[in-house]
Amino acid sequence: MTFAATYLREPDLFPARIAGEPWGPQSLVVDFAGGPYVFHGLDEAQADALRRRYAPFSRPTGARVEATVRCDAFRLAPEELRPADLRGVELTFDRDYAPAAVRMAGHDLLARLEWRSEVLSAGFWTSTPAPASFHGALENVFRALVAYRALALGGALLHSAGVLVDGSPPLGVVACGPSGAGKSTLSRLAQRHGLGLASDDLNMVLPAERGAVLAPVPFAGDREPGGWPERPLPLAAVCRLAQGTDERLEPLPRAVAAASLAACSPTVNADPFRADRLLANLDRLVHSTPAYRLTFALDGGAADLLRRATR
Amino acid sequence: MIAPDTPLRRKSDVRFRHIPPETLVIRQAGPEVLVLNGVGGRILELLDAGTTAGAVIDALHGEFDDSDGSLEREALAFLDQLLDAGVLEVHGG
C-alpha cells in the first residue's frame, strides 16, 4: 500500500520539506543525552504543558541554544486526514526510510526527519491543538529523534526497564523484552524492594570510556513521569526478560544478547539505511557489558537477581 | 524444496552481523531477529551476492568436515528453513 494512504486522503501530498504553519511562536529546549532537543512552533499552552512534562530536562529558552536536534511543529488541516474508527485498534505508523530522511505517518500525525550536516531536523504536523493530545502525538516523533541520536552516539534507545541498583553511584541494569515480557512488572517489583528506576519503558545506553552508561531519557510507560536520575550512570548489565516460576540469572551468549537488544530498538531496527550501525553498536555493547537472561516470578526475588547482575 | 541448482539470495530487508561464534540476523520487515551458528552465518555470507544452493554446498565442502556425508542434506534442509523464515528468496528463475 502507498505510504500514508491509511491516514491521508491524498498521500502524494505528504510534505516534501519541513515547512508549514506553526501553532505559535513559543519554543522549548529539552536537554539530555543526544541533545539539546529544541522544539519550535508551539503555542503557549502546548509549550507550558511540554515544559512541565519534560521537567527537569526543560531549559530556559531565553539563552541562545545550539540545537543538536530541531523539531518544528505545524498545523495539519483536519480535512486532509482520512476518517478513522480507532475503537479497538492498536495505533501504528507507516514509516518510509531514505538515506537522508525518514517519513512517518500515523493517526493525526505526520513527521519528516532529515539529516542536515550536524543537525537532525524534523517537521511534525498534527491537527490536534489540545496540549494533552498534542503531547501524545509529538512524543512519538520525539522518541524517534532520540533513537536516532542514540544511534549516532554509538548506543541505542531500548524498550526496556532501567533499574538502578544501590551504590554510589547507583549501577544501572537495563532489562529488555517484547511487549508483555514484564518490564512494568519488574519495575514495580524493583521499586517495592528499594531499587531505583530510570524508566519502565525506554532507556538509552551509550558507550563510555569504560563500558557503557545508562543515560536518562524523559519517557515513562505505565508510571507517572519523574524521578529521573540526574546524570548518566554506569551500566552494569543488560538482561533479556522472561517470566517463570524457576527464577534465575543466566549468562547470555553475546549474539543472543545483541539479538534481544536489536528486537527492542524501536524505529532504528527497521531502518535499512541505519540497521548495520545499530548492529555494530550492539555488538560493542555486549562486548563491554555482561548480558543475562533474567527469569523472574511475580511474587519472587527479582530485586535480588537484579542486584546479583551488578556483581 | 530447494535443489542444488536453485538460485538463492539474501532478501533485501535482511541484515546480519557476525558476533563469533554466532551470527545475528535481523529481518527488518518484521522486524524479527534470529541467531545462527557459525555454519549458518557462513552460509548467509556465501549467499550475499546471490548464488545457487549447489555453489554454497561446494564452498562448504572446502571449509567443513563431511566425513559422515551429511553436509549436502543438512545444508539443503537449513536453506529450506531460511527460505521459510523469510531470510532468503529464490531469484532469477
Side-chain angles (χ1 to χ4, degrees), chain B residues 57-75:
Chain B
I57 292 164
D58 287 345
L60 294 177
H61 271 300
E63 299 177 22
F64 296 93
D65 175 45
D66 187 28
S67 50
D68 65 357
S70 63
L71 189 147
E72 177 169 338
R73 176 172 41 82
E74 289 181 2

Side-chain angles (χ1 to χ4, degrees), chain A residues 253-256 258-260 262-263 268-276 278-283 286-287, chain B residues 10 12-36:
Chain A
R254 285 174 179 153
V256 177
S260 303
V268 179
N269 64 4
D271 185 333
F273 299 97
R274 295 158 192 94
D276 286 334
L278 173 67
L279 298 188
N281 290 357
L282 297 178
D283 186 355
V286 298
H287 275 80
Chain B
R10 174 166 57 99
S12 61
D13 72 319
V14 171
R15 299 286 182 278
F16 67 95
R17 185 176 181 87
H18 297 303
I19 302 180
E22 296 168 310
T23 297
L24 161 61
V25 181
I26 181 164
R27 199 169 71 80
Q28 295 186 289
E32 295 172 347
V33 291
L34 306 166
V35 176
L36 306 181

Side-chain angles (χ1 to χ4, degrees), chain A residues 172 210-213 235-238 254 257 284-292:
Chain A
R210 296 178 59 188
V213 293
L235 181 67
V238 292
R254 285 174 179 153
R284 194 163 52 244
L285 175 65
V286 298
H287 275 80
S288 70
T289 306
Y292 302 97

Side-chain angles (χ1 to χ4, degrees), chain A residues 105-175:
Chain A
H107 172 67
D108 198 6
L109 161 66
L110 307 178
R112 180 179 187 88
L113 283 58
E114 293 182 358
W115 282 263
R116 298 173 178 172
S117 62
E118 296 303 308
V119 178
L120 172 56
S121 299
F124 153 67
W125 295 260
T126 184
S127 72
T128 303
S133 337
F134 179 86
H135 163 255
L138 178 138
E139 187 159 306
N140 288 302
V141 183
F142 196 3
R143 290 174 176 223
L145 291 167
V146 174
Y148 281 114
R149 284 298 298 149
L151 184 76
L153 294 173
L157 183 70
L158 299 168
H159 268 305
S160 58
V163 178
L164 310 177
V165 175
D166 19 47
S168 183
L171 298 174
V173 177
V174 166

Side-chain angles (χ1 to χ4, degrees), chain B residues 27-91:
Chain B
R27 199 169 71 80
Q28 295 186 289
E32 295 172 347
V33 291
L34 306 166
V35 176
L36 306 181
N37 65 16
V39 182
R42 179 63 182 138
I43 288 175
L44 209 53
E45 197 171 54
L46 289 166
L47 283 164
D48 217 18
T51 185
T52 63
V56 170
I57 292 164
D58 287 345
L60 294 177
H61 271 300
E63 299 177 22
F64 296 93
D65 175 45
D66 187 28
S67 50
D68 65 357
S70 63
L71 189 147
E72 177 169 338
R73 176 172 41 82
E74 289 181 2
L76 288 172
F78 181 69
L79 289 168
D80 261 326
Q81 289 177 12
L82 291 180
L83 198 63
D84 288 344
V87 175
L88 305 180
E89 62 185 358
V90 177
H91 76 99

Side-chain angles (χ1 to χ4, degrees), chain A residues 42-310:
Chain A
L42 309 170
D43 69 23
E44 199 162 317
Q46 290 164 347
D48 283 347
L50 292 172
R51 195 171 290 115
R52 284 195 301 274
R53 174 64 183 76
Y54 294 124
F57 300 95
S58 304
R59 297 283 179 265
T61 51
R64 179 177 165 79
V65 173
E66 292 292 335
T68 305
V69 179
R70 175 186 173 124
C71 181
D72 286 86
F74 302 115
R75 295 172 187 267
L76 178 63
E79 56 271 23
E80 292 184 34
L81 298 166
R82 192 178 284 282
D85 182 356
L86 300 178
R87 288 173 298 184
V89 173
E90 184 183 356
L91 295 179
T92 58
F93 301 98
D94 278 0
R95 291 190 177 91
D96 179 51
Y97 300 98
V102 174
R103 298 190 297 168
M104 297 170 58
H107 172 67
D108 198 6
L109 161 66
L110 307 178
R112 180 179 187 88
L113 283 58
E114 293 182 358
W115 282 263
R116 298 173 178 172
S117 62
E118 296 303 308
V119 178
L120 172 56
S121 299
F124 153 67
W125 295 260
T126 184
S127 72
T128 303
S133 337
F134 179 86
H135 163 255
L138 178 138
E139 187 159 306
N140 288 302
V141 183
F142 196 3
R143 290 174 176 223
L145 291 167
V146 174
Y148 281 114
R149 284 298 298 149
L151 184 76
L153 294 173
L157 183 70
L158 299 168
H159 268 305
S160 58
V163 178
L164 310 177
V165 175
D166 19 47
S168 183
L171 298 174
V173 177
V174 166
C176 296
S179 183
K183 294 185 288 291
S184 299
T185 306
L186 182 80
S187 300
R188 281 194 294 273
L189 287 171
Q191 285 189 297
R192 194 180 300 161
H193 290 87
L195 302 185
L197 194 61
S199 172
D200 64 346
D201 188 28
L202 279 169
N203 292 278
M204 189 193 288
V205 293
L206 296 174
E209 198 170 318
R210 296 178 59 188
V213 293
L214 188 170
V217 296
F219 304 130
D222 291 345
R223 71 181 183 118
E224 280 296 306
W228 322 106
E230 291 180 0
R231 61 182 67 85
L233 298 170
L235 181 67
V238 292
C239 296
R240 172 178 169 170
L241 284 179
Q243 289 188 42
T245 52
D246 184 16
E247 292 198 304
R248 57 190 185 275
L249 186 71
E250 310 160 274
L252 266 187
R254 285 174 179 153
V256 177
S260 303
L261 300 176
C264 297
S265 303
T267 306
V268 179
N269 64 4
D271 185 333
F273 299 97
R274 295 158 192 94
D276 286 334
R277 178 151 195 189
L278 173 67
L279 298 188
N281 290 357
L282 297 178
D283 186 355
R284 194 163 52 244
L285 175 65
V286 298
H287 275 80
S288 70
T289 306
Y292 302 97
R293 177 183 288 107
L294 191 161
T295 307
F296 71 101
L298 297 179
D299 55 352
D304 289 340
L305 291 172
L306 288 163
R307 287 190 175 98
R308 202 193 311 161
T310 64

